[in-house]
Amino acid sequence: MTQSKQRQQALAPLARSEPWDMLIIGGGITGAGIAREAARRGLAVLLIEQKDFAWGTSSRSSKMVHGGLRYIASGDYKTTLLSVRERERMLTEADGLVNEMHYVMPHYKGKFPPPWIFNTLLRVYDRIAGKRYFKYFKKDAFLRLNPNIKQDKFLGASQFSDAVTDDSRLVMRVLDEAIHDGAQAINYLKAESLITNEQGLVVGATLKDTASKDSDQTYNVYAKVVVSATGAWADTLRMQASNETEQSFHKQIRPSRGSHLVVSQERLPTSQAYTFLHPTDKRAVFVFPWENRTVLGTTDLDHPPLDDQEVGITNEEVDYLLDATNGLFDDTDLNREDVIS
Ligand SMILES: Cc1cc2nc3c(=O)[nH]c(=O)nc-3n(C[C@H](O)[C@H](O)[C@H](O)COP(=O)(O)OP(=O)(O)OC[C@H]3O[C@@H](n4cnc5c(N)ncnc54)[C@H](O)[C@@H]3O)c2cc1C
């Protein structure tokens, strides 16, 4: 079959004459999850994505399935409870795609957090999960397993457990399940504008085929419910539907960027995730194993207004991540030549 025939076949569901029950704009984890839940309930669902599925944030995360440890520190036990339950469910339902990963927090004399504070937090975390994951390693025991960690003023390390995944594969798994239950999902279709009725309610969207670069072909698609699962791009469609100007429109999204570096396991071997505070600004950062490589992350910066182009890392961010890592491991001395991605 030729490529254009394949594309025509992929676009065939757009010929549907009656409105869809639900049109979902955005093929990240949010859109995929909504499509799955709606299809399971028997709704006629169409999901569209402007690029490839999971092209947005959902393929560029830190790959962690957290149980919400940091929410305990802010007193939000409910969010922790929900996140922990979800983590345990994903570990069971998506075994092999969502896997348990150990995290360690090394403790140093005079540095925050001291072991007793962190360990109290971890005991509460385990209690909420109904599991006993937490372990404390005394100095010598930890150094036997992690000889490359900086030893000056080192006290010991706390270990807890969360999970790790391949974020884009997770989106594909959830989408597959949605499709299995009857949803239609088409990539390389961009919602260019929303269609409103006389009362100003959104009843559909005008979609552009972004796979055929030389075609101006658009499709008007109608639905009883239109869901914007456009993540960091959400304001663009909202503004479009509001009839306001860029100046008067009240934006709800403040786009931010977090960058990661990938280095080889030969240069920085890891069998578990390390979490620690960056020496400069005390933000929590991670070094963790992923797909036979080691990942360092992240930065956290405001990002200029988003378009649909690739987002990149700056030199300052590279230095920030290398400095953090070199500060934790003795004799590692990672530099730019070590960066694979
Ligand atoms: C640096 C960083 C690290 C993170 N790490 C973690 C982590 O370790 N664990 C975790 O659980 N979460 C993490 N997150 C959060 C997580 O990645 C996001 O919450 C999640 O990916 C958001 O998914 P989404 O589907 O809402 O958005 P996205 O994945 O961004 O999906 C939105 C999609 O909408 C599409 N779209 C936009 N406009 C249109 C349009 N007009 N027409 C068609 N399609 C359109 C985009 O192309 C995009 O694919 C991290 C986030 C960041 C930034």
Side-chain angles (χ1 to χ4, degrees):
M1 203 189 310
T2 63
Q3 226 177 351
S4 71
K5 265 248 165 70
Q6 266 180 4
R7 185 64 183 157
Q8 274 167 24
Q9 216 170 63
L11 296 174
L14 299 179
R16 180 185 162 101
S17 52
E18 68 259 45
W20 297 84
D21 290 324
M22 188 181 279
L23 167 65
I24 300 167
I25 303 170
I29 193 65
T30 305
I34 294 169
R36 189 180 83 153
E37 294 308 308
R40 279 185 175 180
R41 286 160 179 77
L43 301 181
V45 177
L46 172 65
L47 177 146
I48 58 117
E49 161 58 46
Q50 63 179 351
K51 303 255 186 176
D52 206 349
F53 297 120
W55 173 80
T57 320
S58 297
S59 58
R60 300 153 199 261
S61 78
S62 298
K63 328 292 181 198
M64 294 170 185
V65 180
H66 294 288
L69 177 62
R70 69 192 162 116
Y71 300 113
I72 300 180
S74 58
D76 185 358
Y77 296 100
K78 198 171 162 207
T79 303
T80 306
L81 182 66
L82 291 173
S83 307
V84 158
R85 277 192 194 149
E86 201 63 16
R87 179 192 71 194
E88 295 299 312
R89 192 161 77 99
M90 288 169 79
L91 279 166
T92 311
E93 280 186 16
D95 185 22
L97 178 53
V98 177
N99 297 308
E100 193 181 328
M101 182 160 75
H102 288 147
Y103 290 66
V104 289
M105 162 71 89
H107 300 285
Y108 289 88
K109 199 169 176 201
K111 293 265 168 68
F112 189 81
W116 71 269
I117 290 192
F118 202 65
N119 293 344
T120 308
L121 205 67
L122 294 182
R123 284 201 181 89
V124 177
Y125 197 40
D126 273 0
R127 169 74 56 107
I128 291 173
K131 293 263 166 83
R132 177 80 164 88
Y133 288 126
F134 157 68
K135 231 184 217 171
Y136 184 74
F137 288 91
K138 288 189 178 157
K139 181 176 173 177
D140 290 344
F142 191 75
L143 289 178
R144 266 199 296 281
L145 297 167
N146 301 266
N148 57 346
I149 196 115
K150 202 149 248 162
Q151 299 190 12
D152 185 34
K153 297 188 181 158
F154 178 63
L155 298 173
S158 313
Q159 178 183 287
F160 61 103
S161 201
D162 262 328
V164 65
T165 190
D166 180 324
D167 48 2
S168 34
R169 276 184 58 213
L170 187 63
V171 172
M172 295 312 295
R173 170 82 65 94
V174 175
L175 259 185
D176 271 351
E177 289 177 5
I179 291 165
H180 179 263
D181 283 337
Q184 298 285 346
I186 310 177
N187 54 6
Y188 294 97
L189 264 186
K190 179 174 183 174
E192 290 261 278
S193 57
L194 296 170
I195 304 169
T196 47
N197 65 11
E198 282 151 11
Q199 290 88 49
L201 298 174
V202 174
V203 291
T206 301
L207 312 181
K208 186 170 186 301
D209 181 1
T210 57
S212 326
K213 294 278 177 252
D214 43 356
S215 151
D216 282 333
Q217 173 86 50
T218 56
Y219 304 85
N220 282 347
V221 167
Y222 294 87
K224 294 176 193 158
V225 174
V226 177
V227 176
S228 169
T230 51
W233 292 265
D235 275 340
T236 313
L237 274 183
R238 280 184 57 247
M239 187 170 79
Q240 203 278 328
S242 74
N243 284 332
E244 287 191 46
T245 63
E246 182 125 27
Q247 286 71 35
S248 64
F249 179 70
H250 176 64
K251 290 194 173 139
Q252 292 190 344
I253 304 283
R254 179 178 157 193
S256 67
R257 175 178 80 242
S259 302
H260 303 85
L261 295 179
V262 181
V263 300
S264 75
Q265 278 273 343
E266 286 75 32
R267 286 294 284 121
L268 184 55
T270 46
S271 58
Q272 69 212 334
Y274 296 84
T275 173
F276 55 104
L277 303 185
H278 194 286
T280 314
D281 60 5
K282 313 289 179 234
R283 280 186 55 249
V285 282
F286 295 96
V287 171
F288 60 97
W290 194 69
E291 298 284 336
N292 298 323
R293 303 275 196 274
T294 298
V295 181
L296 331 174
T298 68
T299 57
D300 187 1
L301 297 163
D302 278 323
H303 187 78
L306 276 175
D307 49 23
D308 50 11
Q309 299 306 307
E310 285 294 329
V311 170
I313 190 169
T314 61
N315 283 327
E316 289 76 23
E317 286 175 274
V318 174
D319 291 340
Y320 176 92
L321 294 172
L322 292 178
D323 286 350
T325 313
N326 289 331
L328 182 67
F329 297 98
D330 264 338
D331 304 327
T332 300
D333 206 20
L334 287 180
N335 58 53
R336 275 153 200 266
E337 277 74 64
D338 295 312
V339 175
I340 297 170
S341 166

